[in-house]
Amino acid sequence: MSEGHSDIDWDSARASNLANWEDRVPLHEEAYGTGALDDPDHLTSVVRTDLAALAPFLPDGTVSGLDVCHLQCHIGTDTLSLARAGARVTGVDFSPAALASAANLAARLGLDATWVETDVLDARAAVVGSFDLVYTSIGTITWLPDLDRWAAQVAGLLRAGGTFYIRDGHPILYALDENAEGLQLRYPYFGTGEALIWDDESTYAGDGKVAHPRTYEWAQPLSEIINSLIGAGLQILRLEEGKTLPWKVSPRMMEVPDGFAWPEAERDLVPCTYTIVARKTGELPTP
């Protein structure tokens, strides 16, 4: 549960968030079940879902042979699933521990990948080359205070005609009280410019605890997300809203195939995720 709001500066918020995400790496190496990837045919459930959604917008319906940049890739399980599906992948994250874990996993699996340590808000300057697909999924941009700058990185990384894909937790989901007995609003839907403060020793996966529990996130309405992409020159091709989520955001959620959902009687009342597919239709100035 959030501990309130803060006008903390970005550098301080980033440092606190980074310490938290560094702590998560060993916990997630176990909780993600990375051993499943030892099966050469295995793809993560996140990537299986996303590839099906992406298929109508890709050449031949597949990422095979495409240059793909995965933003906020964490320990690389989804990045390497994209590689296994035939993509040439570059994973971007701000956590050195996460990227070290990703590189070790790639070596173990015999998969090629490039790893770049940088804030996603500085990705264009840090990453070499341009891409057919920029991909981000899931639980990502709520950590960012400036979506216009984020969208500029996405546009800058894409080749003309390239595709952007994001699936993430729905802003309505993030506005709900995760511990209420029913669907009840608690947190802001609209951004105020201030960060939401969280103090939580747990993570969304596994039972371990982190040593640095304080994190900062920002509320972002769906309109802000879409308009940031439009403002960066991208054409919105598709918007979907989903009823399931890959992590259990509330103890009331029930396990369903490839994720979690609200009790059946409530499932049609609020969305859990949104998915946006967009395209870069022409050359843009470098951000």
Side-chain angles (χ1 to χ4, degrees), residues 23-40:
D23 289 348
R24 296 186 194 210
V25 169
L27 304 179
H28 289 178
E29 285 174 333
E30 180 178 354
Y32 277 34
T34 59
L37 286 164
D38 292 334
D39 175 354

Side-chain angles (χ1 to χ4, degrees), residues 50-62:
D50 292 340
L51 288 179
L54 264 168
F57 306 97
L58 296 177
D60 302 319
T62 176

Side-chain angles (χ1 to χ4, degrees), residues 108-144:
R108 190 181 93 203
L109 300 177
L111 293 170
D112 290 329
T114 299
W115 308 105
V116 179
E117 181 187 331
T118 184
D119 288 350
V120 68
L121 297 178
D122 299 318
R124 177 59 286 180
V127 176
V128 175
S130 58
F131 297 87
D132 303 299
L133 172 67
V134 173
Y135 168 90
T136 183
S137 179
I138 186 170
T140 53
I141 63 171
T142 187
W143 301 97
L144 307 176

Side-chain angles (χ1 to χ4, degrees), residues 147-148 150-152 154-155 164 222-237 276-279 281 284:
L147 290 193
D148 288 338
W150 162 77
V154 170
F164 172 64
L222 195 58
S223 57
E224 181 182 353
I225 299 165
I226 292 172
N227 286 332
S228 71
L229 296 168
I230 293 172
L234 301 185
Q235 177 187 10
I236 306 298
L237 302 180
I276 298 171
V277 184
R279 182 153 293 151
T281 57
L284 296 172

Side-chain angles (χ1 to χ4, degrees), residues 4-143:
H5 302 78
S6 172
D7 61 356
I8 187 172
D9 65 273
W10 166 240
D11 287 341
S12 299
R14 178 197 182 278
S16 187
N17 288 345
L18 177 57
N20 178 271
W21 279 96
E22 291 277 274
D23 289 348
R24 296 186 194 210
V25 169
L27 304 179
H28 289 178
E29 285 174 333
E30 180 178 354
Y32 277 34
T34 59
L37 286 164
D38 292 334
D39 175 354
D41 295 322
H42 180 79
L43 305 178
T44 63
S45 61
V46 168
V47 166
R48 288 198 305 269
T49 297
D50 292 340
L51 288 179
L54 264 168
F57 306 97
L58 296 177
D60 302 319
T62 176
V63 296
S64 182
L66 299 185
D67 293 312
V68 177
C69 184
H70 181 189
L71 300 178
Q72 296 172 270
C73 68
H74 193 36
I75 62 172
T77 51
D78 295 331
T79 322
L80 295 172
S81 291
L82 292 168
R84 184 163 276 168
R88 294 181 293 271
V89 297
T90 296
V92 175
D93 202 89
F94 78 149
S95 164
L99 292 178
S101 177
N104 288 337
L105 181 60
R108 190 181 93 203
L109 300 177
L111 293 170
D112 290 329
T114 299
W115 308 105
V116 179
E117 181 187 331
T118 184
D119 288 350
V120 68
L121 297 178
D122 299 318
R124 177 59 286 180
V127 176
V128 175
S130 58
F131 297 87
D132 303 299
L133 172 67
V134 173
Y135 168 90
T136 183
S137 179
I138 186 170
T140 53
I141 63 171
T142 187
W143 301 97

